[in-house]
Each structure stands twice: as structure tokens, then as C-alpha cells.
Amino acid sequence: MSRVNNDFQLTTAEDTERVCPGHDVNLHCHLSPKTSAVVMTIRWFKGTECIYLYKNGQVTESVGYEGRVSLITPELERGNVSLRLRDFRRSDVGRYRCQVVHGEQKEEAVVGLEAASGKGSVTTVHVNIHLSNNNNQSVSLYSTRLLPHVVRSL
């Protein structure tokens, strides 16, 4: 069981997500360390507009996003506050900000969303990538889930 406290940060998997129109995408955002978000207030903004609000187990969705945005509710206990956006439209392109509030603590993280061309689309699930060069510098990336036709920027 995950703990609940006021000492957490928000982390994102990537700065920018890319998706083809008509497909679904997860805007990845997690509490670190793993902390239950069930009792926290979670807001997702596009620009300055709050498009999704989760508070006290109740959900409010902005006009134009009804039925298209959601959290993965069973994952809240493990600190996953990622936003699932269904039926991506070109008007969805932009910067999204996740805000999590618990007591006096408020943390925010930003993820960009871009349209991808159909030619560059890939389907990937549970990927671990480790990149290194001859100077012993390395970068490790881990993605828990990429939905069909999502392309990740490196």
C-alpha cells in the first residue's frame, strides 16, 4: 500500500507526447515517491483553462473534453495522476499542466502534446531503453505504457 504524506514531487516521462488524430494518448505524470493521490486534488490545465478536476472523488470536465479525459482511477493509489485523452484532435495540441494539491503542498509539471504524422506512428508497450556513448555518459528511459500510434520524442 502506498503512503500518504505532504512530501512528494511530480515527475513526467517525457517533455512532449506525439499522437495521430483520432487516437488516444496518456499524458504521463506521477507522484514521487509513490504516494497515494486518492485524497488529493488533481487538476489538469491546457493553457490557463482547467480541463479536468478530481477532488474528493468527484470529477469535473471542461466543455469540449467531456467523455474524452480521465484519470486511471485504480492507479491513483500508486501515485499515477496521468491524464488519458481520447480521440485526439488537432485542437488538442499544446502545453498541459498537471497540478496536485495536498494540504499546503502544491506541485506542478508540464507536458506538451503534438500531432504526429501517420507515417511515424509506432505501437509500443512496456519499453526500457538505455542509451550510452563512449564517454560513459548514459540516459535511461522507461515508459510504462504507450498507446497505439503514439510517438515519443527523445
Side-chain angles (χ1 to χ4, degrees):
M1 181 174 211
S2 299
R3 61 192 180 147
V4 176
N5 65 26
N6 280 358
D7 188 20
F8 64 90
Q9 295 180 330
L10 283 178
T11 61
T12 59
E14 298 290 334
D15 290 333
T16 303
E17 304 276 354
R18 290 187 182 156
V19 65
C20 292
H23 293 280
D24 300 345
V25 64
N26 283 346
L27 300 178
H28 296 279
C29 194
H30 298 82
L31 299 178
S32 178
K34 278 187 182 176
T35 304
S36 175
V38 172
V39 298
M40 298 181 182
T41 299
I42 303 162
R43 292 181 182 91
W44 275 91
F45 296 86
K46 180 181 181 214
T48 58
E49 178 188 5
C50 181
I51 62 167
Y52 187 88
L53 168 65
Y54 170 92
K55 185 175 183 177
N56 299 323
Q58 300 295 311
V59 170
T60 304
E61 299 168 349
S62 177
V63 174
Y65 291 91
E66 302 99 332
R68 294 194 328 128
V69 289
S70 65
L71 297 178
I72 307 165
T73 309
E75 293 290 316
L76 289 174
E77 182 65 34
R78 291 183 284 282
N80 185 347
V81 293
S82 300
L83 184 73
R84 179 174 290 157
L85 176 63
R86 292 174 185 81
D87 188 27
F88 172 76
R89 304 168 186 167
R90 292 208 181 269
S91 61
D92 293 329
V93 167
R95 304 295 286 170
Y96 290 79
R97 180 171 39 103
C98 177
Q99 179 187 83
V100 178
V101 179
H102 188 254
E104 297 297 314
Q105 185 176 2
K106 176 170 74 172
E107 297 292 330
E108 296 184 339
V110 176
V111 178
L113 184 58
E114 298 176 353
S117 67
K119 293 178 182 176
S121 300
V122 297
T123 301
T124 311
V125 178
H126 298 290
V127 174
N128 277 304
I129 302 172
H130 182 78
L131 306 171
S132 62
N133 62 22
N134 293 335
N135 296 328
N136 291 327
Q137 296 173 328
S138 66
V139 175
S140 294
L141 304 173
Y142 176 72
S143 178
T144 55
R145 183 175 173 199
L146 303 178
L147 295 176
H149 303 287
V150 175
V151 177
R152 302 287 228 165
S153 296
L154 293 178

